[in-house]
Amino acid sequence: MSNRRLEVSGLSKTFGPARVLRGVGLGVERGELHGLVGQNGCGKSTLVKILTGVYRPDPGGSITVDGRPLGLPVRPAAQREAGVSVVHQNLGLVDDRTVWENVRLGRYRAGRVTRRIDRAHERAEAARVLARLGHPLDVDAPVGRLSAQDRAVAAIARAVQDHQPGSGLVIFDESTRALGREARARFYELVKSLIAEGTSVLLISHQLEEVVEVTDRVTVLRDGEVVAAGVRTAEVDEAEITRLMLGRHLVTHGRVAGHVRDELVADVRGLAAGPVSGFDLAVRRGEIVGLTGLVGSGFAEAAEAIAGARPAASGTMRVLGRELDLTRRRGSTQDFVAAGVAFVPERRLEEGLAGEMSVAENLTLPRVRGRGSALRTGTAWQREESAAMIAKLDIRPPNPQAPISTLSGGNQQKVLLGKWLAGSPDLLVLHEPTQAVDVGARHDIIDAVRRAAQDGCGVLLASIDPSDLAVLCDRVLVVRDGRVAARLEGELEPDAISRAVFGDGDGGDGGDGDAPGAPDVSGAPGANKTSDTSEAGERSGETVER
Ligand SMILES: Nc1ncnc2c1ncn2[C@@H]1O[C@H](COP(=O)(O)OP(=O)(O)OP(=O)(O)O)[C@@H](O)[C@H]1O
């Protein structure tokens, strides 16, 4: 019997004319934390979907777990029996359901006669696995109210509930992005305790720093092929993994001067949305303002209301002199678009993209009405505009006719951003714009947002990612319990942003956005603070660039 927990060999997958996996091999040892990395669209999710039976691979490959072959295509029962489970993007939890419902979803046992779910049994099962992990959460608490760390515990409990201690393989597919620095550290403590028992973990992540730090070995995919198989992470660094992934080096460059001008693009007054109230905000041409906080703090609701994506309880906004009522119901999106407001939402498939349409149709959709044609595709301007955006953001495959649903997550994200950038908005509201994108794509997106700001667009960046905020923003507002608890300006450092989010380091009780009272927190010792009316701040340099 092989000593390996997972042995994948010669696995290929073809979609129509596209061969997206070519003879892929992957070996994960018992009790190993193994990283799987690669550019957007290189085939990571396809591999996971083959492992979990969503896709049937091309004939010829094999998968064994603990030396026993898994029949192909993988049947869900066989996958469960082999102890292979997946924790999906951002932990894959349903916020308005309780801990026990989240842990037991898909496994409910119904009473023989009543066919009702046996709640007592399900609650006890959830409690049992949580106790085994050493984290006895309240199983009746809604997951949305849990701390980031406890959410991670609930997701891990769901994944390992069928495993005997020390057995099985847990695949974390971009699961940790929503976790802050501290919650992430605790998350890895828990993962390492599973590893110490003998469970294996396959970690798929675009956070290469984290992959280098926590994994034992890493496998790198490029264009559907393995270019580095199980390399010891102690022997490589982030730059080398990046080179393996992209096939080229990315080089560091310095700070970039901001282009904040005096003219106000957006003036928000008296916004109340979700937990946020009494919020004022002024965004100038060329300015990139960050909005951040913990999940549930209200920063996301504020951004969505400003973008016209959710009705506010109160509030108005002037965009270049045009008054918009933020309390209007959904459906008034057209007013916001007409006023020059563009929104890149966090939930790209539900809110941002038309799943049944092509790349070109999605990229040009906001301008179809204005260009006077009905929903006709393939007109010259659509072809030109989509070709330019595909090239600018390196969207793959570079096929304007490809259905958007067949693109990888990162490439969908690029289409979503491209759709709005092509229209040269005056106010661009971005919610987690670099989620799920690889290191090269993140660079392209950051570059595109900076260029939009240089061209005079005002940008509101709502994000939990301190690196994105530090690299892009002229200033950052930190929301806590619905109020702006801190305002960071000048040379921003990711750690300082995280500290302000978690409440250590600002020492103030906040204010209301741009209203006086929100304490300033310098991003770095001796940071160059800018006032709201400053000509030009400076933005931190991106760490990597072509
Ligand atoms: N159902 C499908 N039909 C056609 N092509 C598909 C389908 N699913 C995936 N693909 C293509 O397969 C390739 C690999 O996609 P996959 O989602 O596995 O990439 P990934 O490495 O997980 O990317 P990301 O990091 O962006 O999530 C992409 O080019 C994608 O467009």
Side-chain angles (χ1 to χ4, degrees):
M1 191 165 95
S2 155
N3 193 39
R4 289 212 159 140
R5 175 62 37 83
L6 175 73
E7 182 90 59
V8 170
S9 145
L11 216 57
S12 299
K13 177 68 191 167
T14 307
F15 291 109
R19 194 139 190 246
V20 301
L21 289 180
R22 299 154 203 254
V24 165
L26 173 69
V28 181
E29 308 288 334
R30 294 199 177 121
E32 183 187 31
L33 213 171
H34 196 109
L36 178 65
V37 299
Q39 214 174 353
N40 292 133
C42 73
K44 303 177 296 296
S45 302
T46 303
L47 180 57
V48 172
K49 285 177 180 165
I50 291 174
L51 283 168
T52 53
V54 178
Y55 290 152
R56 173 196 291 267
D58 296 350
S62 68
I63 302 173
T64 61
V65 179
D66 291 322
R68 280 187 292 276
L70 272 185
L72 295 176
V74 176
R75 285 176 305 109
Q79 177 207 333
R80 197 183 284 190
E81 223 167 86
V84 176
S85 52
V86 186
V87 176
H88 289 287
Q89 270 202 11
N90 293 343
L91 304 175
L93 297 168
V94 188
D95 278 354
D96 58 359
R97 295 290 174 90
T98 63
V99 169
W100 74 261
E101 287 171 314
N102 269 280
V103 171
R104 297 294 296 163
L105 209 66
R107 286 179 174 75
Y108 292 150
R109 193 176 80 178
R112 278 209 196 137
V113 185
T114 62
R115 308 307 301 160
R116 287 231 181 95
I117 292 166
D118 183 348
R119 296 163 72 94
H121 169 79
E122 304 303 340
R123 292 174 75 257
E125 281 297 296
R128 178 189 58 78
V129 62
L130 290 163
R132 197 186 103 202
L133 290 173
H135 289 269
L137 303 177
D138 172 5
V139 293
D140 292 318
V143 156
R145 290 219 209 110
L146 297 183
S147 69
Q149 185 202 346
D150 289 348
R151 291 166 61 81
V153 170
I156 293 174
R158 177 162 72 185
V160 301
Q161 61 187 312
D162 297 326
H163 298 189
Q164 292 301 319
S167 71
L169 171 82
V170 187
I171 303 168
F172 290 100
D173 188 1
E174 282 284 332
S175 325
T176 57
R177 199 175 169 278
L179 299 180
R181 205 172 34 127
E182 285 179 25
R184 200 174 289 207
R186 291 199 206 108
F187 168 85
Y188 281 114
E189 275 169 30
L190 192 52
V191 167
K192 282 182 178 162
S193 69
L194 294 175
I195 297 281
E197 284 182 341
T199 296
S200 303
V201 167
L202 184 66
L203 177 75
I204 300 175
S205 174
H206 287 301
Q207 315 282 322
L208 299 184
E209 194 185 344
E210 181 178 307
V211 171
V212 170
E213 202 179 304
V214 303
T215 62
D216 302 307
R217 295 189 304 141
V218 64
T219 291
V220 184
L221 279 179
R222 186 160 79 230
D223 295 334
E225 282 180 293
V226 173
V227 290
V231 180
R232 298 224 149 271
T233 24
E235 289 159 18
V236 285
D237 58 13
E238 213 179 313
E240 177 60 7
I241 296 183
T242 304
R243 189 192 64 76
L244 287 165
M245 272 174 59
L246 306 184
R248 58 185 160 83
H249 277 293
L250 288 180
V251 293
T252 310
H253 81 142
R255 288 162 58 76
V256 177
H259 293 263
V260 186
R261 302 167 203 169
D262 281 343
E263 188 188 359
L264 265 191
V265 170
D267 193 7
V268 178
R269 294 288 165 92
L271 172 67
V276 167
S277 62
F279 182 87
D280 295 343
L281 176 70
V283 183
R284 299 191 146 68
R285 276 211 181 278
E287 187 179 29
I288 306 181
V289 181
L291 201 54
T292 188
L294 292 172
V295 175
S297 62
F299 82 92
E301 288 89 338
E304 285 169 4
I306 290 168
R310 70 153 59 217
S314 69
T316 57
M317 173 166 77
R318 288 186 84 78
V319 177
L320 295 172
R322 186 170 174 157
E323 186 95 12
L324 288 166
D325 177 359
L326 297 179
T327 66
R328 291 191 53 185
R329 296 188 189 292
R330 261 175 178 279
S332 63
T333 320
Q334 212 49 44
D335 295 347
F336 283 76
V337 174
V341 182
F343 180 43
V344 174
E346 183 188 22
R347 298 191 305 156
R348 61 175 168 263
L349 277 178
E350 295 89 337
E351 293 173 3
L353 294 170
E356 69 289 358
M357 289 187 177
S358 69
V359 168
E361 286 165 327
N362 270 283
L363 278 170
T364 54
L365 200 55
R367 287 162 298 287
V368 166
R369 199 180 281 190
R371 302 291 292 243
S373 60
L375 253 185
R376 264 183 44 223
T377 56
T379 58
W381 74 268
Q382 280 178 310
R383 275 200 304 275
E384 261 168 44
E385 204 176 282
S386 41
M389 207 40 88
I390 286 170
K392 184 172 172 178
L393 295 177
D394 190 19
I395 292 167
R396 294 184 194 199
N399 171 12
Q401 301 316 325
I404 193 79
S405 56
T406 64
L407 264 64
S408 75
N411 281 293
Q412 288 177 354
Q413 188 66 20
K414 291 189 199 179
V415 172
L416 182 56
L417 194 72
K419 164 178 163 179
W420 291 111
L421 283 175
S424 309
D426 292 308
L427 177 67
L428 180 59
V429 183
L430 305 166
H431 193 183
E432 307 298 353
T434 69
Q435 61 175 322
V437 302
D438 68 51
V439 59
R442 176 171 177 267
H443 167 262
D444 293 341
I445 288 176
I446 284 172
D447 212 42
V449 173
R450 278 182 177 161
R451 265 183 278 147
Q454 275 165 21
D455 291 346
C457 179
V459 181
L460 181 62
L461 170 62
S463 178
I464 55 163
D465 186 329
S467 303
D468 281 4
L469 292 161
V471 90
L472 274 169
C473 294
D474 298 292
R475 60 194 170 103
V476 173
L477 306 177
V478 180
V479 178
R480 204 176 305 142
D481 297 328
R483 311 276 287 178
V484 174
R487 214 172 46 176
L488 290 82
E489 302 190 43
E491 197 171 322
L492 300 169
E493 293 291 339
D495 275 354
I497 296 173
S498 287
R499 279 198 301 277
V501 167
F502 286 95
D504 42 347
D506 63 301
D509 70 344
D512 307 321
D514 280 346
D520 288 344
V521 182
S522 60
N528 163 32
K529 287 189 190 178
T530 54
S531 77
D532 284 351
T533 51
S534 68
E535 277 284 313
E538 279 206 318
R539 296 183 192 132
S540 312
E542 172 60 311
T543 49
V544 279
E545 198 184 343
R546 229 164 286 205

